[in-house]
């Protein structure tokens, strides 16, 4: 029991240190590799959860935030012609693109928690998160594009691709438990949605 208590104290101490470190102003860090790694791990975890969701549940019915409707309408009002199935990084990262995106993003300051937090965004929505298919974007940009992809049916390619693969495997192997596992996957995905909603992804 003492060993467990010591471990708990160590973990608690580390959590307090991390919480304190994350509360300091960004200027006090420079390019601290430990902090960068912590943020990168959090961004990757977010990406994995999101991909699991759109693979397990028809993305058209996903609600990513409490203000999805507002995000979507503002996004399409400001970026009517932006191609979202396959993103051009220049449409997100060039100086002229940043000038267009900045006012949009700032509208959600105080509305979407951590609206400018770094998040991984897939360039081609029919593919997963790989080094070649991923860019770093502010969270509100991720939400805007992914909500549009979900509502406009572009992310359905991931969902149907996974479903087709599972059905093919089930028919080839005569797997009678596939339907049960499918139901369990959907329940698990909805649990992830609820957890993510509580922390506002």
């Amino acid at each position: 029991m003492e060993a467990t208590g010591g471990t708990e104290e160590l973990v608690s101490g580390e959590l307090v240190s991390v919480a304190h470190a994350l509360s300091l102003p960004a200027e006090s860090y420079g390019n601290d590799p430990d902090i960068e790694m912590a943020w990168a791990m959090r961004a990757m975890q977010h990406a994995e959860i999101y991909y699991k969701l759109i693979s397990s549940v028809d993305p058209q019915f996903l609600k990513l935030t409490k203000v999805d409707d507002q995000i979507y309408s503002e996004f399409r009002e400001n970026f009517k012609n932006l191609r979202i199935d396959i993103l051009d990084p220049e449409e997100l990262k060039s100086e002229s693109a940043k000038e267009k995106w900045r006012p949009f993003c700032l509208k959600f300051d105080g509305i979407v928690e951590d609206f400018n937090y770094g998040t991984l965004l897939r360039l081609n929505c029919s593919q997963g998160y790989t080094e070649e298919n991923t860019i770093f974007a502010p969270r509100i940009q991720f939400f805007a594009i992914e909500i549009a992809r979900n509502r406009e049916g572009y992310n359905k390619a991931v969902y149907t691709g996974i479903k087709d693969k599972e059905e093919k495997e089930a028919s080839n192997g005569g797997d009678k438990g596939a339907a049960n596992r499918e139901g369990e996957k959907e329940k698990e995905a909805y649990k992830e949605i609820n957890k993510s909603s509580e922390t506002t992804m």
Side-chain angles (χ1 to χ4, degrees), residues 46-47 50 64 119-122 129 137-147 201:
H46 174 266
Y50 182 69
L64 301 181
T119 307
L120 298 176
L121 178 64
R122 294 170 301 135
Y129 286 94
R139 176 173 281 175
I140 189 60
Q141 204 172 39
F142 165 86
F143 280 141
I145 291 167
E146 290 297 339
I147 289 167
M201 282 190 90

Side-chain angles (χ1 to χ4, degrees), residues 189-199:
Y190 279 112
K191 285 181 189 174
E192 292 288 343
I193 291 170
N194 290 332
K195 258 195 277 185
S196 295
S197 295
E198 290 170 11
T199 59

Side-chain angles (χ1 to χ4, degrees), residues 170 173-181:
D175 188 355
K176 295 178 183 176
N180 288 339
R181 282 194 305 280

Side-chain angles (χ1 to χ4, degrees), residues 76 81-92 121-127 132-133 135 145 149 154-155:
R76 276 309 185 197
N81 300 320
L82 180 68
R83 184 176 175 194
I84 59 172
D85 58 337
I86 301 174
L87 295 169
D88 176 357
E90 287 297 307
E91 295 282 341
L92 306 173
L121 178 64
R122 294 170 301 135
L123 294 171
N124 182 336
C125 69
S126 67
Q127 298 174 10
E132 301 79 29
N133 194 42
I135 61 169
I145 291 167
R149 284 174 166 175
Y154 292 107
N155 275 337

Side-chain angles (χ1 to χ4, degrees), residues 33-80:
D34 291 335
I35 298 298
E36 288 179 5
M37 181 57 76
W39 288 118
M41 288 173 55
R42 185 171 171 197
M44 191 61 215
Q45 181 183 32
H46 174 266
E48 288 171 351
I49 290 170
Y50 182 69
Y51 196 75
K52 189 179 193 182
L53 289 175
I54 63 171
S55 299
S56 303
V57 178
D58 187 341
Q60 198 170 359
F61 302 108
L62 285 178
K63 187 162 175 68
L64 301 181
T65 73
K66 294 176 184 176
V67 292
D68 280 13
D69 293 337
Q70 180 184 356
I71 293 170
Y72 181 70
S73 63
E74 292 275 348
F75 171 67
R76 276 309 185 197
E77 185 178 308
N78 289 284
F79 301 95
K80 290 179 185 82

